[in-house]
Amino acid sequence: MKSIVVLISGSGTNLQSILDSIQEGRIEGQVSAVISNQADAFGLERAKKADVPAHVLSHKDFADRESYDQALMQLIDGYQPDLVVLAGFMRILSEGFVQHYLGRMLNIHPSLLPKYKGLHTHKRAIEAGDKEHGATVHFVTPELDGGPVVIQSKVPVFADDNEEDLSSRVREQELQLYPLVVKWFCQDRLRMENGQVLLDDKLVPTEGYAAD
């Protein structure tokens, strides 16, 4: 059974979707620990309710990004994870940290990458007049939100949408996508090789496995 460490900064809705999928037997793995850089992250309560060790490691206690990432790496490695899942972890990670977990760290991003890397993705999609938006699960590489895409899911953007409308629609997709990808990884069906994604030993297109 694969060991998973989840990093969060906020409410932990994607964490909950993974915990639920494990509880329901859909993911052959276990969340060994949840770590947050924010002490008030509600996701920590979700972890405790599921009897998962919950840790706070505040970046404010460290002089620079590298020293924080070293401490975070040490905490994560204490759980010997097969997979590190970024679930709303609002930190830019140093190259050394990313390289340490290369091929075994996933992120979910609320846009159809490569569009709208970084923050405020829903606002940017609305302002650009986009007709569709969505979510992306990808392997993490040193380039911010630039790792190879595993899967994307699209949602429509309606003329009268505000940010909250669009965010809610995208979040519904995220809650389906992330457990699916974690399931594939735990089944040894998914891997990253030479900067590309393979699912069942078949190359996944650059835009990811299709999931409309």
Side-chain angles (χ1 to χ4, degrees):
M1 186 171 286
K2 294 280 196 287
S3 169
I4 305 162
V5 170
V6 182
L7 306 187
I8 63 169
S9 294
S11 66
T13 52
N14 279 306
L15 164 65
Q16 189 66 58
S17 72
I18 292 168
L19 289 170
D20 290 346
S21 291
I22 290 170
Q23 180 69 30
E24 292 158 11
R26 296 201 303 270
I27 292 176
E28 299 163 24
Q30 63 176 15
V31 176
S32 301
V34 172
I35 304 169
S36 176
N37 65 318
Q38 302 287 352
D40 61 351
F42 184 69
L44 294 168
E45 298 304 316
R46 297 180 189 274
K48 291 170 187 172
K49 190 174 180 181
D51 293 322
V52 172
H55 301 271
V56 177
L57 189 69
S58 174
H59 55 279
K60 296 175 183 176
D61 296 336
F62 294 84
D64 52 41
R65 190 178 306 281
E66 283 69 25
S67 57
Y68 176 79
D69 282 6
Q70 280 294 326
L72 180 58
M73 202 184 305
Q74 190 172 11
L75 180 56
I76 293 169
D77 286 352
Y79 289 95
Q80 299 181 305
D82 299 288
L83 178 65
V84 176
V85 170
L86 305 181
F89 189 61
M90 304 304 287
R91 293 278 301 165
I92 294 174
L93 299 165
S94 62
E95 183 167 355
F97 184 94
V98 173
Q99 292 290 352
H100 184 68
Y101 298 108
L102 199 66
R104 54 193 181 109
M105 183 159 58
L106 294 166
N107 183 46
I108 192 160
H109 185 73
S111 81
L112 298 172
L113 291 173
K115 292 183 89 171
Y116 310 129
K117 298 178 181 182
L119 302 175
H120 310 300
T121 61
H122 311 306
K123 181 173 185 283
R124 289 155 70 189
I126 291 169
E127 289 177 347
D130 289 357
K131 300 299 184 191
E132 60 182 19
H133 189 47
T136 303
V137 180
H138 65 96
F139 278 100
V140 179
T141 63
E143 181 190 352
L144 177 67
D145 297 329
V149 172
V150 178
I151 193 169
Q152 294 188 325
S153 187
K154 298 175 182 177
V155 301
V157 183
F158 299 119
D160 58 350
D161 271 343
N162 59 35
E163 283 182 67
E164 184 50 44
D165 295 331
L166 191 52
S167 172
S168 177
R169 204 172 299 129
V170 170
R171 192 177 304 117
E172 286 180 21
Q173 296 302 310
E174 289 184 9
L175 300 179
Q176 303 299 317
L177 286 185
Y178 224 175
L180 176 62
V181 173
V182 171
K183 173 185 174 180
W184 288 343
F185 189 93
C186 290
Q187 291 174 326
D188 291 322
R189 295 175 57 195
L190 178 72
R191 70 183 191 276
M192 184 178 83
E193 198 172 278
N194 300 320
Q196 296 178 301
V197 176
L198 289 95
L199 179 63
D200 297 330
D201 295 321
K202 295 176 183 175
L203 203 59
V204 171
T206 54
E207 66 274 15
Y209 182 89
D212 285 324

